[in-house]
Amino acid sequence: MPAFNLGESIPPHTEHVSNFMAVSVSLPTWRANVGYEEGEDWVVGSMTTGYPRFFIHRSIQAFAKDILEKTGRKGLVAFLFPTRQVAARCVSFVKLRAPPAIVSSLEVLHLVLDPANPQSKALRGLSPSISAVICSPEGFSFLKQYWQHTGDGVSSRRAEFCHSLFKDGLLRVDEPPKNTAAPMSPKPCRGPKRYQRGGSLDAGKPSTTSQTSTTVPDREETSRFLEERFGRNLDVSFVEPAKSAIKRRIAGALRSDRELTASPVPEKEMESNTRGVVNLREDDIYLFPAGMNAIFNAHRALLGARGGLKSVNFGFPYVDTLKILEKFGPGCVFYGNASEADLDDLEARLKAGERFLGLFCEFPGNPLLTCPNLARIREMADKYDFAVVVDETIGTFANINVLPFADIVVSSLTKIFSGDCNVMGGSAIFNPNSRYYSALKDFARTGYEDTYWPEDVMFMERNSRDFASRIERINANAEAICDVFRENKLIKAVFYPRDNESSANYEACKVPGGGYGGLISVVFHRKEQAVAFYDAVDTAKGPSLGTNFTLTSPYVLLAHYQELEWASQFGVDPDLIRISVGLEDTADIVKVFEAALHVAEHGSQ
């Protein structure tokens, strides 16, 4: 992976990757990361893109601006969402938090296909709708919080495609619904004020529009129209089979993936290839437009299935997981160390009569790669009646099997499942043996809305075809790099599932032939050594993880800049460097890190 200039997209934008959606952005120096967090123009002004939930993609910004200008709302701000239901949830979130002046400025515009335009017929299979939540500029931070925490916003591919329809008059403003109240709006619990910087489950009921024709368009006609008019070689007849292929890969029950067919996976085949979980079916796996959206909707599903109880966030979390539990329900109890002592304290609470909705944890955690004791957690959950939700993104399906211990397993498919760093996605698996399975499925029948944009589905399906073989190489590379760090005198601590104190918990879930994943975190003895190393290391440098190329980041600076002291309480060093290991030749990538360590040793003396 070549060096990138400040603000360039990772991966780079080329004509071959048309309508691109890079998931990372180059921040090549330590100073650039600090400048980004401080909102300094020399950094923010140079950014062509950024991580999609934090940085609103240029194509989305352009579409929002066009909507405001063409509807006479110039000077306001707009955030774009895929459906009416999602927009309604955003409105409810803002109404619960914003001052009256901002709430009074809220408005929702729904863009739908113009039924009077004969070309609309060929587009209905894609459901290219947009719902814009609009308010005064003072409400930007409230809308941005919802966008960032939930992952409910439109993808750049959806925005680019729908914008072209809007320009051509194929999308028009529909009459607003009479009631924009969300179906579920639990009382919030406020979190830290760190979402001010600008920046730049509902299958049930379909969105009602004023379309009068119900004629189903011919698939060949639709695909031909898309390719000729918009340059998209997107055969809509492949979208549902592509989703099915993704689900089969997640389930570990591949059935001729190269042949995308709509036929269901035989039940016997599913049962024999799902890592010991009996009765898992393809329809127990739900796809989402982002990993955080899978977590958000897992929480929604539990609230809908079990009622308004507090949750437990067990282990130092990815930042927005904690925010979801705090702000979209009755609140949560936070255990930041994921230790046996934390479990002892939780058990004491349970024995005293406290009850919880569910326990949310990562396996391993980010960035310390700590693994909670899932066997003990499962025993407590069964005894005291709470659900267990495990985020296995870092461990990955190919290395670990956490489903027997969980009621719901969530994952960010954006990461190593895709690998190419050019598409977002998430998944949630309902364990069919869970005591809450029936209630969760009942909720999903009306509460799950498939908002995964077809183009993103197709990118994810193609990217993930070699998922299993990529993991093997990444596992091997990560172990080799970890050994380099362990043998170096500059390093104060190395965090890696193989070597952490919680390694026995990882081993209990590791599948035969599995490895330890591609994520490593390191802490240097002195900050200046960390800075020199980061500036010198010849890898891509930016946010995200799970890329096919090695990606280095001063993770804690980016994720917890406004709360570094709080994070340090849980052993998270502010100068920690996180490495997401890629597919490079092992000897070559080892030399890259050895060279950077040499610079850190001699350049920081």
Side-chain angles (χ1 to χ4, degrees):
M1 177 63 64
F4 293 94
N5 294 323
L6 172 64
E8 287 186 329
S9 66
I10 304 176
H13 175 38
T14 65
E15 282 190 1
H16 179 67
V17 190
S18 61
N19 59 295
F20 78 114
M21 190 179 84
V23 172
S24 190
V25 63
S26 178
L27 296 171
T29 65
W30 194 279
R31 179 169 168 260
N33 283 271
V34 174
Y36 169 73
E37 286 297 329
E38 293 287 348
E40 295 176 7
D41 186 64
W42 69 276
V43 178
V44 177
S46 68
M47 293 173 64
T48 60
T49 189
Y51 194 77
R53 286 189 304 100
F54 293 82
F55 182 98
I56 302 172
H57 194 279
R58 302 292 188 195
S59 63
I60 300 173
Q61 293 183 49
F63 190 13
K65 180 181 178 182
D66 204 13
I67 291 171
L68 292 172
E69 290 180 350
K70 289 184 177 180
T71 61
R73 292 165 172 83
K74 191 174 181 179
L76 301 178
V77 296
F79 278 67
L80 307 186
F81 299 97
T83 68
R84 297 173 187 267
Q85 291 93 328
V86 173
R89 287 200 295 268
C90 177
V91 168
S92 293
F93 176 86
V94 175
K95 284 182 175 179
L96 286 168
R97 290 162 178 77
I102 292 174
V103 171
S104 65
S105 73
L106 281 170
E107 183 183 6
V108 182
L109 293 182
H110 303 292
L111 304 186
V112 298
L113 287 172
D114 184 354
N117 193 315
Q119 293 178 334
S120 294
K121 175 184 174 183
L123 294 163
R124 288 177 195 153
L126 293 175
S127 301
S129 62
I130 292 288
S131 292
V133 179
I134 299 167
C135 74
S136 63
E138 293 77 16
F140 179 93
S141 64
F142 295 96
L143 292 172
K144 180 74 183 303
Q145 284 181 55
Y146 184 86
W147 174 282
Q148 176 178 322
H149 295 329
T150 67
D152 258 342
V154 299
S155 78
S156 60
R157 290 190 181 95
R158 179 191 282 263
E160 185 190 57
F161 185 86
C162 291
H163 194 184
S164 66
L165 299 183
F166 185 64
K167 289 177 180 178
D168 291 344
L170 286 165
L171 274 188
R172 63 162 178 77
V173 177
D174 195 19
E175 291 298 323
K178 295 180 179 180
N179 182 12
T180 60
M184 185 170 63
S185 54
K187 184 178 179 181
C189 176
R190 297 182 183 271
K193 296 179 180 178
R194 59 182 309 276
Y195 302 96
Q196 308 303 316
R197 182 174 63 252
S200 17
L201 276 171
D202 307 87
K205 303 177 180 178
S207 300
T208 56
T209 71
S210 60
Q211 296 176 1
T212 57
S213 172
T214 58
T215 305
V216 178
D218 177 77
R219 285 177 174 174
E220 184 177 344
E221 175 189 358
T222 299
S223 298
R224 184 173 60 251
F225 174 81
L226 290 172
E227 185 172 2
E228 292 175 355
R229 183 68 182 275
F230 302 102
R232 305 288 206 286
N233 185 14
L234 175 59
D235 189 335
V236 294
S237 67
F238 283 165
V239 174
E240 290 306 317
K243 291 177 183 177
S244 179
I246 293 169
K247 291 178 181 181
R248 294 199 305 269
R249 285 176 199 143
I250 292 171
L254 303 184
R255 177 172 173 259
S256 187
D257 274 332
R258 293 178 182 175
E259 281 181 31
L260 292 181
T261 67
S263 58
V265 178
E267 192 167 324
K268 289 184 179 180
E269 185 174 331
M270 287 290 288
E271 290 181 11
S272 64
N273 290 280
T274 51
R275 308 184 306 255
V277 176
V278 178
N279 300 325
L280 181 66
R281 297 171 54 88
E282 192 174 315
D283 64 6
D284 294 329
I285 302 169
Y286 297 85
L287 299 181
F288 299 90
M292 194 51 58
N293 196 241
I295 295 172
F296 173 69
N297 279 290
H299 185 235
R300 281 188 65 233
L302 285 173
L303 287 171
R306 302 201 61 225
L309 295 169
K310 284 187 178 181
S311 295
V312 175
N313 192 138
F314 195 76
F316 193 82
Y318 180 72
V319 56
D320 286 307
T321 301
L322 180 58
K323 308 314 175 191
I324 285 171
L325 301 183
E326 288 177 336
K327 296 184 179 183
F328 292 89
C332 76
V333 174
F334 175 55
Y335 290 98
N337 296 307
S339 63
E340 292 299 313
D342 284 346
L343 283 179
D344 290 341
D345 186 85
L346 175 59
E347 190 166 28
R349 287 173 177 260
L350 293 163
K351 286 180 178 178
E354 281 194 68
R355 291 296 176 261
F356 298 99
L357 178 74
L359 180 147
F360 289 69
C361 67
E362 298 173 7
F363 194 96
N366 182 16
L368 300 184
L369 291 308
T370 302
C371 297
N373 186 342
L374 291 184
R376 184 178 174 191
I377 289 171
R378 181 72 264 165
E379 290 177 2
M380 292 168 59
D382 290 340
K383 183 175 181 179
Y384 295 106
D385 189 20
F386 61 85
V388 178
V389 181
V390 181
D391 181 349
E392 63 76 73
T393 299
I394 294 173
T396 83
F397 306 112
N399 287 326
I400 58 173
N401 172 20
V402 298
L403 190 55
F405 302 102
D407 299 281
I408 304 176
V409 172
V410 295
S411 188
S412 174
L413 305 182
T414 307
K415 309 306 191 295
I416 193 58
F417 188 80
S418 166
D420 276 348
C421 198
N422 64 359
V423 66
M424 301 278 280
S427 65
I429 305 173
F430 291 173
N431 188 336
N433 302 314
S434 165
R435 70 166 71 179
Y436 313 115
Y437 178 76
S438 294
L440 289 169
K441 295 293 281 188
D442 286 344
F443 175 85
R445 288 184 188 99
T446 57
Y448 170 75
E449 188 175 20
D450 185 353
T451 61
Y452 206 4
W453 180 241
E455 285 180 284
D456 294 323
V457 171
M458 300 303 286
F459 270 79
M460 183 63 72
E461 191 283 316
R462 286 197 294 266
N463 291 355
S464 61
R465 290 178 185 178
D466 60 350
F467 166 62
S469 61
R470 286 188 285 112
I471 288 294
E472 293 180 7
R473 177 66 168 270
I474 287 172
N475 286 340
N477 280 355
E479 290 204 54
I481 293 169
C482 181
D483 291 340
V484 170
F485 283 122
R486 287 209 166 277
E487 295 168 1
N488 192 280
K489 62 183 181 181
L490 302 184
I491 303 301
K492 179 181 179 180
V494 179
F495 301 96
Y496 186 58
R498 181 193 67 184
D499 304 324
N500 285 354
E501 290 183 5
S502 61
S503 61
N505 295 333
Y506 188 92
E507 295 292 343
C509 297
K510 187 160 74 77
V511 301
Y516 299 94
L519 206 64
I520 304 167
S521 293
V522 297
V523 176
F524 286 77
H525 283 287
R526 304 201 316 269
K527 178 178 179 177
E528 55 267 32
Q529 295 169 338
V531 172
F533 171 86
Y534 181 81
D535 289 352
V537 69
D538 189 18
T539 68
K541 289 179 270 190
S544 197
L545 59 91
T547 49
N548 289 338
F549 47 87
T550 297
L551 186 62
T552 307
S553 172
Y555 172 77
V556 183
L557 278 185
L558 288 178
H560 301 285
Y561 188 73
Q562 301 296 337
E563 48 195 23
L564 294 175
E565 186 176 347
W566 171 81
S568 67
Q569 300 175 61
F570 307 102
V572 181
D573 192 285
D575 302 321
L576 175 146
I577 292 177
R578 191 186 71 182
I579 299 104
S580 175
V581 180
L583 293 170
E584 297 89 348
D585 176 81
T586 303
D588 290 346
I589 195 63
V590 164
K591 288 179 182 177
V592 166
F593 283 97
E594 288 176 338
L597 286 167
H598 179 79
V599 172
E601 180 178 2
H602 298 283
S604 61
Q605 292 178 347

